[in-house]
Amino acid sequence: MEGGVPSQQGRSNTLDHVSASNMPPSASSPSQTQPPMMPQRFSLAGAQPMLPGPATQLLLPPQHFSGNPLDRTYDKRLKFDGTSKQDEISLVVVAGREVCVRESSGASTSSQSGAFGGAGGATTSGGGASATSGADLQALLLNATDPELDLNSDSICLSWVYGDAVYQLPLYLLGQDRTERWTFALDVTDCREGFLEFLRDACGLGTGVALTDLRAALPQLSRDAAAIAGQATALSQWHQSHKFCPRCGSPTAPVEAGLRRQCIAVATHKLYPRTDPVVIMLVESPDGRRALLGRNKKFTPGMYTCLSGFVDQCESVEEAVRREVFEESRVLVASVAVVGSQPWPIGRYGGCELMLGCMAKARSYEVLVNMEEMEDVQWYDKEELRAAVQMYDNATSAVDGDGVADVPMSVAQLQENSLEQLGFFIPPPLAIAHHLIRTWALHEGPWFPAGPGQPSMAGAPQPYSVALPPMGSPGTAAAAAAAGPAVQQQQPRQNGKL
């Protein structure tokens, strides 16, 4: 059809999502007469970790991009055959790291808006600034029998005509909502501007709809919308960067509803979407009163965060933490504890990362900064970090003496205030680094207390045979020189300012 997809091209609706009410009843609930057993749809996103008592207090809360409400179990997606109990399918429009969003005029969303989860000024879990304006993830609904949809081939796609060109826009299966409607990512990377014009004009969505970088849209999206958008953009980025076989150089094509790519020349050359593991750690000082934060030259001026780095091949999480901390600061690490994780589809170099959040116990104080990787690394007192966390908590809407609510501060404003008052600021609550810092700063006492059953600092692993003399001693300069020309000794801070 000239100018776009036919029939229900302008229709849209609110995406449904799995709720906790879909989970089977608890075994501890009072016994009562039950109706005949019906098939249950279990939500992996709604499942809670079953851990003994106090241990749950030492874990990070669920992070942004996690908790995807779609059912995307692998066996379910492999059974996709182009049919569904629903007559409609839902499309999330993406182009690489960009996702289609529309401005939200208010907290309530019309059932005809095609939006999924506006922010509405809600605060994030664990504290954070309210959004001053909302945005919704734009979803398009099409009839599953639409002739422009090819849902039964190896490479499922949507045929779209724009001018004299015919585009075969790839579809990547994301999962099913609670009504068993299939949800796909529609990749418009090859005709971004034309499809955006089509959405605004032919679909009647107006200028309020846009393809926006997911990182910029994230503060305004709901948690459910962010998780779906993260999955869609991660797949788009991976497919766009793997159009040729890395083994023989032949073209590849998406197969199995976008779950993988296949080399068209050699059947055994198969490509699967990858996720890169990254360790990110809050390093506690040996006395338990300070934490090690750093910054590189690419950061916003004034921001300090947890050290992090990619996990090497055949390397454990604990080994990666010790190696990365040593490489960036020359601080030696003993104990390591994994306390949470966060999928990060907007990672470096267009990849999807899995951030493995850790608490680590340092066994040395001296810091020698690796200037090739970091601009600065510093020890921060717990009270300093509590104040930095409080800056985000204070950014929520406040009521003045006249009973009128103040306009919430933007993230940029509160970071500027933190920089003026404290000399630094920490990442916002959208990132796992914020929650590592928050959890440690609000925890009373050392994270790794000494006592029976605790690892001995004297017996801790020492993967590097490097001896660093005390700060200011004659051997410090020699140690820095031996460590490499790009290493410099940490400079003392005055009242939290560099």
Side-chain angles (χ1 to χ4, degrees), residues 395-409:
T396 56
S397 181
V399 178
D400 61 22
D402 298 328
V404 178
D406 294 334
V407 177
M409 258 190 294

Side-chain angles (χ1 to χ4, degrees), residues 73-320:
T73 50
Y74 190 67
D75 58 342
K76 171 74 70 175
R77 290 188 288 174
L78 284 180
K79 293 177 181 178
F80 171 74
D81 61 358
T83 63
S84 172
K85 293 181 180 179
Q86 292 289 337
D87 293 331
E88 294 174 322
I89 65 169
S90 184
L91 305 180
V92 177
V93 181
V94 292
R97 211 170 89 162
E98 294 181 317
V99 63
C100 187
V101 298
R102 70 168 181 82
E103 295 178 358
S104 177
S105 56
S108 62
T109 305
S110 167
S111 61
Q112 298 298 319
S113 67
F116 179 59
T123 58
T124 58
S125 173
S130 297
T132 57
S133 61
D136 301 313
L137 180 60
Q138 181 68 54
L140 302 178
L141 295 187
L142 288 180
N143 195 301
T145 60
D146 194 305
E148 265 68 22
L149 280 172
D150 181 1
L151 300 179
N152 294 289
S153 300
D154 285 339
S155 298
I156 60 176
C157 65
L158 170 70
S159 296
W160 182 68
V161 178
Y162 183 67
D164 297 330
V166 179
Y167 294 92
Q168 304 295 322
L169 303 179
L171 297 172
Y172 314 133
L173 182 58
L174 302 180
Q176 285 182 308
D177 62 22
R178 67 186 299 255
T179 66
E180 299 193 10
R181 178 196 294 135
W182 294 105
T183 301
F184 300 84
L186 174 63
D187 196 336
V188 300
T189 302
D190 294 337
C191 54
R192 179 191 181 281
E193 296 300 327
F195 201 86
L196 183 58
E197 178 184 344
F198 163 68
L199 291 177
R200 290 173 173 174
D201 299 335
C203 291
L205 297 177
T207 57
V209 67
L211 281 166
T212 305
D213 184 275
L214 180 55
R215 189 175 194 127
L218 186 58
Q220 285 85 40
L221 293 177
S222 72
R223 293 286 295 272
D224 285 348
I228 294 175
Q231 180 190 5
T233 55
L235 281 173
S236 176
Q237 292 177 90
W238 179 80
H239 279 281
Q240 292 298 326
S241 62
H242 289 78
K243 291 186 175 182
F244 296 92
C245 179
R247 298 173 66 180
C248 69
S250 300
T252 63
V255 295
E256 295 181 10
L259 294 182
R260 67 177 180 88
R261 294 186 74 89
Q262 175 66 54
C263 174
I264 65 173
V266 184
T268 57
H269 293 180
K270 302 177 181 181
L271 286 74
Y272 292 89
R274 59 177 292 169
T275 297
D276 299 320
V278 175
V279 289
I280 180 167
M281 42 276 176
L282 190 292
V283 182
E284 179 182 73
S285 62
D287 62 7
R289 296 185 298 177
R290 286 170 283 180
L292 192 67
L293 302 183
R295 57 172 286 104
N296 66 36
K297 297 178 181 179
K298 298 179 181 179
F299 287 0
T300 304
M303 188 180 80
Y304 279 75
T305 186
C306 301
L307 305 185
S308 64
F310 289 100
V311 179
D312 276 353
Q313 295 74 27
C314 203
E315 183 178 46
S316 71
V317 171
E318 295 81 1
E319 290 171 329

